[in-house]
Amino acid sequence: MIRRTAIAVSLVMTLVGGAAAQTARTSQVVVFPFQVHSRENLGYLKRDLARMLSRQLAAEGIKVISPARAAGALGRRAPSLDAVRRAGAKIGADFAVFGSVTKIGARVSLDVKVLDTRARGRSSSVYVEGVGLENIRKFVAQLARAVAARVVGRARIVMIEVQGNKRIEAAAVKNVIGSREGGPFSRRQLNEDLKKLHKMGYFSKVHIRAVAMAGGRKIIITVVEKPTIREVEFKGNRIISTSDLKKVVTIKRFSVVNPGLISENINRLLAYYKQKGYYNAVVRSRIEPVTRDQVKLIFDVQEGKKVYIRKIRFIGNKKVSRGRLLGLMSTSEKGWLSWFTDSGILNRAKLAKDAEAIASYYYNHGFIEAKVSEPVVTRKGNDLFVIIRIHEGPQYRIGKLDVIGDLIQARTVLLRKIKSRPGMYFNRQVLRGDLKTLTGIYQNKGYAFVEIDPAITRDTTRRRVNIIFRITKKRLVYIERIIITGNTRTIDKVIRRELGLVETGLFRANKLRQGTLKLHKLKYFSNINITTPKGTRPDRINVRVDVREKRTGALSFGAGYSTSDLALIMGQISQTNLFGRGLRLSLRGILAVKAARFMLSFTQPWLFDRPISAGFDLYNYEQYYSNFDLQAMGLVLRVSFPLWGEYTRMGINYKYDDATVKNVQSIASTVVKDMAGNHTTSSIKFSLVRDSRDKRFLTTRGSHNFVTLEYAGGPLGGTNYFTRINAGSAWYFPLIGSTVGVIRGRIGYVTENAGGRLPLYEKYYLGGIDSLRAWAWREVAPRDPATGDRIGGEYMALINIEYRFPLIKKVGLQGVIFLDVGNVWAKAQGYDFGDVRYDAGGGIRWYSPVGPFRLEWGYNLDQRTGERSSNWNFSVGASF
């Protein structure tokens, strides 16, 4: 245990020599009643102020004669200088204080004279002013300090000296206290200073004394500093690691020993152990000296055994089974895998949420009178028992359902758009969704302030709930101003065009929601806050967009490995908000064992201030295949525009590619050898894409659908003549918990056109991490009958089915199991769905700092002669 340090509190004031010091010890002061000047009836202040000032002077160390004697000595005479001097001298006062209080409006002023009864004509004036009669005590305290200074000879603090401090700066000590060099000397203030210095928590002893010196007083503050903590150690903990315990405590190295803070951290450690199920844990602290000024803080821990929930009992549930209720809870009973899963551990916060989840289930299944009590936890030995009492009540269905009031669509149309239906069990969650749906319908038409009141009546006899939505649409609302703040780099136009709203136009809630999502997708801002304050008229509203910008330039480097390129290093420099105009520019490069690729890309997402995306890609790459090398450079011009809706775009690309096939192996296929030399491709590609995915990697919902048509050669020139058609569809949908299902399909066809050729590298190949994962990259394709070389095919079909689930949610690590089906066929064979390849497997995915990370293993389900049974696939970073 920590030995409590005795705190010596002493205030020694030595007033040495001088007439002023002698006066302070022997002089007596009398305060006469105040004169009151005010339109209000404040006569009570006449004597109250005299008494208050007398008490304050006494607190300052001045000897004061009773105010009662003062009033009697003055009698009814007016308080003139001569009358006050005579009255003061009569009762033995050395100094007499008299004056007035004036109140005009809220301002209050106190004006007094301090008269030396022993020196004829010697007096001085003191004046204090402020606002509010409720602050009168503060004004009197200020007045008392000033009067005391006159009485003791205007004593001032000449110097403040701090002694004994080693780590704490003297300036820090002086900043805390109220006494100031050059200010009035006050014993009462020194008492307050003493308290303030102890409250700092840095000193075990504080000693203040005052000594006389030329011109006033010297204040000497002597302190003894508390030791600092050099190390924080934990002993006795075996199950919970020291690193985890250090995250719990708030005491850091080189902080000052604070017994209260140590006790607080013991409680934090005990709470952490309870959260982990160790209700028998004991934590004590002790201090070991290391040096004269430093100590070691040790927490001794006795962890004890874990305490588990043995039984969760429900009382009162009749229509909802115990199994169903347990399924709603994150808290569970101890199971045979508790040592691994931590099932059966009590977490009070989670248990409270479980009770709320049970209540919500009842409310969402017609039990509108249900009540769920707060869980009661009892302990017997190392077992915990949880009891939850439930009053179910009767179950109600929806009876009458209607919408009335200001209808902007037909009643039947509005009723079809909500999910509640007569005859179904009343569901509070569905009702909330219906309110949101109806509100959205009106707000999307400009009725921003629509009011929808669901009138709910209960028929206890028939056990029916009647719901009538009363709608008051109010007036149409127009946008008065769009106010954008916080953007120092991004120009307003970039933000406005994403919002999709215009000033003087109708306010539409759906456009505002979509615009907000678009602003977030830009990733230009670390924070976006959109509010809709009222305008200058009832039918006007403002849209205020407050943003906080973040850096949009990036420079990154990394290294990795992929099964297609082997070991690689990668780098990228990019700017996604060039010149603050939303322009995107990037330069990327990859150097690998089997490839080298570089690309410069530029995109203008809003050409001519319309949602038309235009840009170009310049690339240069080399790819090393098993029996030849391919070197290519080229240019791609891109343009795309929205076709319909929010997610669908039409794209047109033109590509010019200059490629060279070289280093052809002598044992290569004749088809490969015939490719040696230079090839040029001049093509135009049309694409129709609908992409509603919430994110590109680790997608959780939405779909990605596309159809492309590429034509090369003919009037476009070049040596390669071909037509290619590709189509694909991928659907992502959330399943139980945080799991996601994925179904993705692709199909393709390419044919050589008359007058040119179709090179092997433009044909289809499957295999690898993005297609059939039990085979290596480009391993699935028709072979040359003579050499066995893969020479690609003209027909391709592929289906991938995946189930994704979280492994470590905090870092975004996911697991995946999959089934792949597909093949590539030669032109002579065509699509042959009786000849497809199958594989299944699993892996992990993670969005790492250098890009998407994937490690997946596929097992060949229809292994053929000469084929491997499985294959590992690995990649990190984006590819292009």
Side-chain angles (χ1 to χ4, degrees):
M1 296 296 291
I2 300 172
R3 180 178 298 171
R4 302 195 177 207
T5 306
I7 300 176
V9 180
S10 60
L11 176 61
V12 179
M13 295 187 297
T14 307
L15 307 177
V16 182
Q22 182 69 23
T23 301
R25 287 193 295 270
T26 61
S27 296
Q28 294 191 91
V29 178
V30 62
V31 181
F32 288 101
F34 278 60
Q35 298 296 306
V36 179
H37 306 296
S38 174
R39 291 184 178 181
E40 303 174 40
N41 183 15
L42 302 178
Y44 64 92
L45 290 177
K46 184 176 182 179
R47 298 186 184 277
D48 283 359
L49 288 177
R51 286 193 289 266
M52 290 168 60
L53 181 56
S54 296
R55 287 195 295 268
Q56 292 287 348
L57 287 171
E60 293 287 341
I62 305 299
K63 190 172 182 181
V64 182
I65 296 174
S66 164
R69 289 183 61 193
L74 188 60
R76 297 190 177 187
R77 287 171 291 178
S80 64
L81 286 174
D82 289 338
V84 169
R85 181 179 293 109
R86 287 195 297 270
K90 180 180 178 180
I91 59 177
D94 301 297
F95 291 90
V97 179
F98 69 100
S100 65
V101 55
T102 304
K103 183 176 185 296
I104 302 175
R107 299 202 66 82
V108 178
S109 63
L110 300 174
D111 304 86
V112 301
K113 288 185 180 297
V114 181
L115 180 64
D116 187 344
T117 61
R118 300 162 299 182
R120 189 172 186 82
R122 181 181 172 187
S123 66
S124 59
S125 299
V126 179
Y127 171 81
V128 174
E129 184 181 37
V131 176
L133 197 60
E134 67 275 9
N135 297 317
I136 193 70
R137 291 186 181 278
K138 182 174 70 174
F139 304 151
V140 172
Q142 296 173 8
L143 188 67
R145 287 193 290 270
V147 170
R150 295 329 191 254
V151 171
V152 298
R154 299 176 181 267
R156 297 286 173 183
I157 298 174
V158 178
M159 180 185 298
I160 299 176
E161 182 179 319
V162 182
Q163 299 177 350
N165 57 309
K166 297 178 181 178
R167 297 182 305 275
I168 309 302
E169 296 287 342
V173 174
K174 292 180 180 180
N175 284 337
V176 170
I177 63 177
S179 299
R180 293 286 183 267
E181 293 178 352
F185 171 78
S186 169
R187 184 178 70 178
R188 184 177 183 182
Q189 182 60 55
L190 289 181
N191 275 310
E192 294 296 322
D193 293 343
L194 188 69
K195 296 175 184 177
K196 290 179 180 179
L197 291 175
H198 278 295
K199 283 183 179 179
M200 290 180 72
Y202 297 139
F203 310 115
S204 59
K205 293 182 181 179
V206 180
H207 182 86
I208 300 178
R209 60 195 177 98
V211 297
M213 63 179 300
R217 301 289 184 271
K218 177 180 180 180
I219 306 300
I220 301 173
I221 303 173
T222 305
V223 298
V224 177
E225 295 179 335
K226 290 180 180 180
T228 57
I229 298 172
R230 182 169 176 176
E231 296 289 344
V232 179
E233 289 188 1
F234 298 87
K235 292 188 176 181
N237 56 305
R238 293 189 297 269
I239 300 171
I240 306 297
S241 67
T242 296
S243 60
D244 287 341
L245 295 180
K246 283 186 175 181
K247 294 175 184 177
V248 176
V249 299
T250 59
I251 298 173
K252 305 302 180 185
R253 292 182 63 193
F254 305 115
S255 60
V256 173
V257 173
N258 185 326
L261 188 59
I262 293 174
S263 297
E264 177 187 320
N265 276 268
I266 288 176
N267 291 332
R268 289 175 62 89
L269 289 168
L270 290 172
Y272 182 75
Y273 268 100
K274 285 184 179 179
Q275 183 181 333
K276 296 293 183 181
Y278 295 93
Y279 279 74
N280 297 318
V282 177
V283 179
R284 296 185 177 91
S285 65
R286 54 191 170 94
I287 296 292
E288 287 186 0
V290 177
T291 64
R292 182 179 177 182
D293 300 322
Q294 293 183 326
V295 297
K296 182 188 295 183
L297 173 60
I298 301 172
F299 290 102
D300 291 310
V301 181
Q302 297 176 14
E303 293 176 326
K305 291 184 178 180
K306 264 190 178 183
V307 176
Y308 290 96
I309 298 173
R310 180 64 59 184
K311 189 74 173 178
I312 299 176
R313 184 183 174 196
F314 303 98
I315 299 176
N317 60 309
K318 298 176 181 178
K319 295 184 178 180
V320 182
S321 68
R322 179 175 183 271
R324 168 64 68 181
L325 295 177
L326 285 174
L328 297 171
M329 300 176 64
S330 59
T331 305
S332 62
E333 297 171 347
K334 180 182 178 182
W336 65 277
L337 283 177
S338 292
W339 59 273
F340 179 71
T341 63
D342 273 347
S343 62
I345 299 298
L346 174 64
N347 183 311
R348 297 267 180 184
K350 285 184 178 180
L351 186 59
K353 289 183 178 180
D354 290 340
E356 293 175 4
I358 292 171
S360 295
Y361 179 85
Y362 275 101
Y363 299 148
N364 294 335
H365 289 80
F367 297 93
I368 61 177
E369 298 175 3
K371 294 179 182 178
V372 179
S373 68
E374 182 179 344
V376 176
V377 181
T378 58
R379 179 178 174 184
K380 294 181 181 179
N382 289 328
D383 293 329
L384 297 175
F385 296 86
V386 178
I387 298 176
I388 302 176
R389 297 182 180 275
I390 300 170
H391 169 73
E392 290 182 333
Q395 199 170 10
Y396 286 77
R397 295 181 183 271
I398 296 176
K400 183 180 178 181
L401 182 67
D402 205 354
V403 290
I404 62 174
D406 302 326
L407 305 185
I408 62 173
Q409 296 179 5
R411 170 182 168 277
T412 53
V413 173
L414 291 175
L415 288 174
R416 279 200 302 268
K417 290 183 178 180
I418 64 177
K419 293 184 178 180
S420 294
R421 293 287 182 269
M424 67 181 285
Y425 284 116
F426 175 79
N427 189 313
R428 189 174 63 177
Q429 185 175 349
V430 172
L431 179 63
R432 290 196 189 109
D434 292 341
L435 280 171
K436 188 175 180 181
T437 299
L438 292 173
T439 301
I441 290 171
Y442 278 75
Q443 289 184 340
N444 296 342
K445 296 295 184 181
Y447 298 98
F449 303 127
V450 61
E451 291 182 356
I452 302 178
D453 177 29
I456 301 174
T457 57
R458 189 184 311 175
D459 184 344
T460 56
T461 303
R462 300 177 60 230
R463 292 185 180 175
R464 291 290 186 269
V465 172
N466 300 318
I467 306 173
I468 299 177
F469 296 97
R470 290 192 175 93
I471 302 175
T472 306
K473 67 181 182 182
K474 296 193 173 181
R475 66 186 71 196
L476 286 170
V477 177
Y478 296 85
I479 298 174
E480 185 171 86
R481 292 182 60 202
I482 298 176
I483 306 164
I484 301 173
T485 61
N487 54 318
T488 57
R489 174 178 173 81
T490 307
I491 62 176
D492 284 5
K493 181 173 69 174
V494 172
I495 299 173
R496 287 175 179 269
R497 69 194 186 192
E498 298 294 343
L499 280 177
L501 298 171
V502 294
E503 292 171 345
T504 72
L506 272 176
F507 173 82
R508 299 185 185 274
N510 57 340
K511 283 187 174 291
L512 183 61
R513 283 193 298 270
Q514 292 169 6
T516 304
L517 290 175
K518 289 178 181 178
L519 285 177
H520 281 285
K521 285 184 177 181
L522 289 177
K523 297 184 178 180
Y524 298 165
F525 313 108
S526 60
N527 185 58
I528 301 171
N529 183 34
I530 298 181
T531 55
T532 53
K534 292 183 179 180
T536 57
R537 290 166 48 184
D539 63 342
R540 293 293 185 267
I541 198 171
N542 294 318
V543 176
R544 183 181 180 90
V545 184
D546 298 309
V547 300
R548 184 183 303 147
E549 292 182 311
K550 65 179 182 181
R551 294 180 179 177
T552 53
L555 176 64
S556 61
F557 293 94
Y561 180 89
S562 75
T563 47
S564 58
D565 297 328
L566 302 182
L568 56 89
I569 58 174
M570 66 193 87
Q572 174 174 317
I573 181 171
S574 64
Q575 174 56 259
T576 58
N577 189 16
L578 190 64
F579 308 126
R581 296 180 174 274
L583 306 175
R584 297 194 291 267
L585 180 67
S586 68
L587 175 63
R588 295 178 289 171
I590 289 179
L591 291 175
V593 173
K594 298 180 69 174
R597 296 190 288 274
F598 300 92
M599 180 180 288
L600 174 68
S601 296
F602 172 81
T603 302
Q604 161 59 282
W606 283 75
L607 188 65
F608 309 126
D609 289 329
R610 298 176 66 86
I612 300 173
S613 175
F616 66 82
D617 303 315
L618 285 171
Y619 62 85
N620 188 323
Y621 74 86
E622 289 188 46
Q623 188 73 48
Y624 311 122
Y625 298 94
S626 59
N627 47 18
F628 69 94
D629 296 341
L630 177 66
Q631 182 177 4
M633 60 185 301
L635 165 69
V636 178
L637 301 176
R638 302 176 270 105
V639 63
S640 70
F641 50 89
L643 195 60
W644 62 76
E646 181 184 354
Y647 305 115
T648 306
R649 297 182 72 89
M650 170 69 80
I652 304 173
N653 291 8
Y654 171 77
K655 180 176 77 170
Y656 184 83
D657 181 89
D658 187 353
T660 302
V661 176
K662 58 184 181 180
N663 299 329
V664 179
Q665 299 294 315
S666 58
I667 58 173
S669 164
T670 303
V671 180
V672 177
K673 290 179 180 179
D674 290 344
M675 272 203 330
N678 183 255
H679 304 263
T680 57
T681 301
S682 178
S683 71
I684 188 168
K685 182 168 72 173
F686 301 90
S687 61
L688 180 63
V689 180
R690 187 183 189 279
D691 189 353
S692 62
R693 293 174 293 177
D694 58 348
K695 47 190 173 181
R696 296 298 178 89
F697 188 69
L698 302 181
T699 311
T700 61
R701 62 179 67 244
S703 67
H704 179 236
N705 310 277
F706 67 89
V707 177
T708 64
L709 170 64
E710 183 178 9
Y711 176 83
L716 298 175
T719 63
N720 297 329
Y721 284 34
F722 60 86
T723 300
R724 185 200 315 273
I725 301 174
N726 287 329
S729 182
W731 293 82
Y732 306 82
F733 40 92
L735 299 175
I736 299 172
S738 300
T739 63
V740 177
V742 182
I743 299 178
R744 180 174 54 239
R746 287 183 288 163
I747 191 167
Y749 167 72
V750 61
T751 183
E752 181 177 293
N753 297 334
R757 63 190 305 176
L758 174 64
L760 296 185
Y761 57 82
E762 294 287 1
K763 293 186 177 183
Y764 293 109
Y765 301 81
L766 289 179
I769 199 165
D770 290 316
S771 59
L772 295 172
R773 281 163 276 195
W775 286 267
W777 182 60
R778 294 169 63 93
E779 193 177 9
V780 178
R783 296 175 180 267
D784 185 315
T787 64
D789 288 344
R790 303 285 182 181
I791 57 175
E794 287 81 3
Y795 294 84
M796 180 274 297
L798 175 68
I799 296 176
N800 306 111
I801 301 173
E802 295 183 350
Y803 177 70
R804 302 176 184 175
F805 50 92
L807 290 176
I808 304 177
K809 237 179 181 180
K810 287 183 180 179
V811 298
L813 185 66
Q814 283 194 356
V816 59
I817 56 176
F818 58 80
L819 172 68
D820 302 326
V821 182
N823 207 349
V824 177
W825 301 275
K827 184 176 183 180
Q829 189 178 6
Y831 289 110
D832 182 3
F833 294 110
D835 176 26
V836 293
R837 313 307 309 274
Y838 300 87
D839 70 53
I844 56 175
R845 295 179 185 178
W846 174 48
Y847 203 96
S848 72
V850 295
F853 170 94
R854 295 174 63 182
L855 176 62
E856 295 169 18
W857 173 82
Y859 179 76
N860 191 336
L861 294 175
D862 64 337
Q863 185 178 356
R864 299 177 184 178
T865 304
E867 292 183 341
R868 70 187 77 185
S869 62
S870 63
N871 182 60
W872 282 96
N873 295 276
F874 174 79
S875 71
V876 61
S879 60
F880 59 91

